[in-house]
Amino acid sequence: DFDSLGYTPKGNVKVYPSRKDDTDTALAVKTAIEYGFDSIIIYGGLGGERFDHAVSNIEVTEYAASKGARAYLVSNGQTVTAIRNGKAEFSSGKSGYISVMALAGTARGVSIKGLSYTADGITLEPTDTLGTSNMFTGNEAEISVEDGILTLIYRGGGRDIA
């Protein structure tokens, strides 16, 4: 809608009314998915003064996962993404923290391999903090969920998932 920009850029743009049911980020991700993109990187989606927009953007990554796509929020050296009924693989050499959360609802059959704390087929609820602050070990790692959506929050840029 370009309401915060103050003008409409020239070129191939879609203009929406400022009063609408989706955020600008949600509209952009929905449009990308409509065009067939399955990997979407959003820079700065966690920063700024509006915490509510950061949370909404996390929900957008979960929406993308529910549609078979992967959206990444990259901001301040951190990345947030979500997986649905699938897995995320990390190549060896990665260090730092990663949190695995079931923010979008119950996640069943959660397995975590190659991190400091492992799991095999557990269930995570949105109220669980069990998956907070796990650590990469430098080995290949894999996080999977059989039924549900997992939100992954880790240090590092964009698509550093193998």
Side-chain angles (χ1 to χ4, degrees), residues 96 98 112-119 133-139 141:
I98 182 167
I112 300 170
K113 301 174 185 172
L115 300 176
S116 288
Y117 301 102
T118 61
S133 294
N134 207 332
M135 292 187 304
F136 291 100
T137 62
N139 298 318

Side-chain angles (χ1 to χ4, degrees), residues 18-117:
S18 58
R19 293 179 60 98
K20 57 195 175 303
D21 293 335
D22 279 317
T23 64
D24 295 345
T25 303
L27 287 170
V29 168
K30 287 179 178 182
T31 300
I33 292 169
E34 286 173 14
Y35 279 109
F37 291 94
D38 60 2
S39 184
I40 304 151
I41 301 175
I42 302 159
Y43 291 97
L46 298 172
E49 297 177 11
R50 298 284 307 269
F51 181 68
D52 55 336
H53 280 266
V55 173
S56 177
N57 288 342
I58 293 169
E59 291 175 324
V60 168
T61 68
E62 295 163 350
Y63 169 82
S66 75
K67 298 298 182 184
R70 182 84 50 92
Y72 301 87
L73 302 173
V74 180
S75 186
N76 299 321
Q78 294 191 95
T79 298
V80 177
T81 193
I83 57 173
R84 177 181 179 264
N85 300 350
K87 65 182 175 180
E89 296 174 310
F90 294 87
S91 55
S92 62
K94 190 140 183 60
S95 63
Y97 290 94
I98 182 167
S99 293
V100 179
M101 301 176 170
L103 301 177
T106 302
R108 293 177 180 82
V110 175
S111 294
I112 300 170
K113 301 174 185 172
L115 300 176
S116 288
Y117 301 102

